[in-house]
Each structure stands twice: as C-alpha cells, then as structure tokens.
Amino acid sequence: MASLIGVIQNISTMTAMLDLFVYDDGIAVCRGASVRTLVERTVSEYAAARSHRESVFEQAVVEANERDRARAASMASLTHLQLIETHPRNKFIALSQITSAKLSRQWDGSSRLELTLIDQTREKYTWKKIYNDPGQAAAILKIALGDRLSA
C-alpha cells in the first residue's frame, strides 16, 4: 500500500483550489477548498489588513491555515484511490509517468512545480508561501521524486 509523504495545499487555479497529496508511488491531484472558501478567506484577511491591526490579520491567516490543515488531515486518512473518487476531476499521476520535475521560486515568493510526463505533456502547479513552507514542500517532493526533481 502506498504511503503518504506529505500534502501541499491551496494550489490556486482559475476555477478551483487543489491539494497535492504526495505518495511514495505518485501524486494525487485533488480538489481542495472551493473557490468560495478562498474568496471568504481572502475577504476576511483583507478586512483585517484594512483595519490596520496586524495582529487581527495574522490571526485570520492562522485560523484559515488551521482549517485548511484540518481538511487536508481528514482527507489524508484516505488511500489515493479513495481520494481520486471524491471528485470527478481528481487524478493520480504515477511516479512512473513523470520523466522530470522542476521546482522553482517565483519573483513574488511563490513556488512552482512543473512536471513533465512520458507523453511530453506538462502539469504546472503554483502555490504561495503563506500556505506552504517552501523548504517543507521541497523536502516532500524530493523524497517522492528523487533525482527527477531539479531546482
């Protein structure tokens, strides 16, 4: 049975938030928080920041991150096959399908993972450092991808 190495949360796309559940045999790309949840989170963080009370903003971020971790933890108890079944657009990318992977940092501090698959298609995922510690995300990916991962 596949072992879960770690989770990279809150990868934003135009239509959904994704979570990457990284296993020792592949990566499950799953729908995470809804866009509505993201908007609610952003509005509460923005309102706190506008109030010029940094501690309120920081507390809003901490609370949202705790909710995200709790959601991911409940999903992490599932096998990757069960995760895939939770949403029709979820998918599993087997490590055997990944020929190379590049992890880079963007100008704004966000991280970007680009996977090249054996059929020459590319999968790209970007997340902000506020949601995932860059060092921890890199370590999770390095364990799973080994020499295929370049920085």
Side-chain angles (χ1 to χ4, degrees), residues 46-109:
Y46 178 74
R50 292 269 309 184
S51 71
H52 300 290
R53 292 182 296 177
E54 190 171 311
S55 62
V56 174
F57 172 73
E58 290 172 356
Q59 184 61 32
V61 171
V62 167
E63 290 171 2
N65 285 342
E66 287 173 358
R67 284 191 305 273
D68 292 341
R69 278 192 281 284
R71 179 185 42 76
S74 68
M75 292 179 74
S77 65
L78 304 174
T79 67
H80 57 69
L81 295 175
Q82 292 169 324
L83 276 173
I84 300 307
E85 293 174 355
T86 62
H87 193 280
R89 291 191 181 166
N90 289 353
K91 63 182 173 181
F92 185 75
I93 304 170
L95 290 183
S96 62
Q97 299 295 309
I98 301 171
T99 59
S100 66
K102 182 178 179 183
L103 182 62
S104 59
R105 300 288 292 287
Q106 305 297 307
W107 65 270
D108 62 354

Side-chain angles (χ1 to χ4, degrees), residues 5 55-56 110 129:
I5 297 170
S55 62
V56 174
S110 61
K129 66 180 178 179

Side-chain angles (χ1 to χ4, degrees), residues 7 36 77 105 113 117:
V7 181
R36 178 180 176 196
S77 65
R105 300 288 292 287
L113 175 66
L117 307 180

Side-chain angles (χ1 to χ4, degrees), residues 37-56:
T37 302
L38 173 65
V39 169
E40 289 171 353
R41 175 183 174 149
T42 303
V43 167
S44 68
E45 291 171 1
Y46 178 74
R50 292 269 309 184
S51 71
H52 300 290
R53 292 182 296 177
E54 190 171 311
S55 62
V56 174

Side-chain angles (χ1 to χ4, degrees), residues 1-3 5 22-27 80 92-96 144:
M1 186 167 131
S3 297
I5 297 170
V22 182
Y23 290 88
D24 57 4
D25 65 345
I27 300 172
H80 57 69
F92 185 75
I93 304 170
L95 290 183
S96 62

